[in-house]
Amino acid sequence: MKRIAAASVALLRDGRFLLVRRGRGAGRGQYAFPGGRCEPGESAEDAARRELAEETGLVAGGLTLLRRIEIEGEDMVYELDVFLAHETAGTVVAGDDAESLGWFTIGEMERLDITSSTLEFAREIAASQSGPNTDE
């Protein structure tokens, strides 16, 4: 199977996660953290920053790598590095392949058409944070 490097960025503010609804590709219509494939020669962290900016208009400050996971597709395996953004700058606006975006609590995320890895990571991050409204 072909292996493809990818990166995504989790951003939590006031108990809500920023999610994009995919506008094209295999995940069309599903919600996920902003992210995508790494360009040739691009590090996962640089790809995470680029994808966040392209899909949301936000520029990331500090990023922490949470974990690498593998997601199997029909004929490929995505090696996805998931980062946590500590601060961002800019105005949130859906761009690139993001059909729409929004801020969601864990409870709201459970009712969305969302990738299982996104929901799993959001629960993990929320459990490690002391922010309010993560379970509403």
Side-chain angles (χ1 to χ4, degrees):
M1 283 191 144
K2 183 177 179 181
R3 301 186 83 72
I4 297 174
S8 67
V9 180
L11 180 58
L12 175 65
R13 285 191 185 158
D14 300 322
R16 295 177 178 275
F17 288 91
L18 179 62
L19 301 178
V20 298
R21 185 169 185 217
R22 300 281 173 221
R24 59 180 183 234
R28 184 179 182 164
Q30 284 193 304
Y31 285 87
F33 295 135
R37 295 179 184 200
C38 297
E39 300 290 336
E42 183 178 44
S43 72
E45 183 174 334
D46 288 343
R49 291 177 185 284
R50 177 182 51 76
E51 289 287 346
L52 181 68
E54 288 175 357
E55 294 182 2
T56 71
L58 295 176
V59 176
L63 294 178
T64 299
L65 177 63
L66 295 174
R67 189 173 345 131
R68 172 178 283 178
I69 61 171
E70 292 188 352
I71 301 171
E72 288 193 31
E74 289 184 27
D75 58 352
M76 64 191 75
V77 175
Y78 289 96
E79 295 176 337
L80 177 67
D81 285 344
V82 181
F83 292 87
L84 177 64
H86 300 287
E87 67 274 337
T88 58
T91 302
V92 178
V93 60
D96 194 34
D97 71 341
E99 183 176 282
S100 62
L101 53 73
W103 296 90
F104 301 93
T105 64
I106 295 291
E108 292 166 337
M109 291 168 70
E110 290 170 345
R111 295 185 294 273
L112 295 175
D113 182 5
I114 189 170
T115 66
S116 59
S117 61
T118 299
L119 186 55
E120 175 188 336
F121 274 109
R123 286 178 175 146
E124 184 179 306
I125 294 163
S128 71
Q129 304 289 316
S130 58
N133 301 324
T134 53
D135 293 322
E136 290 181 9

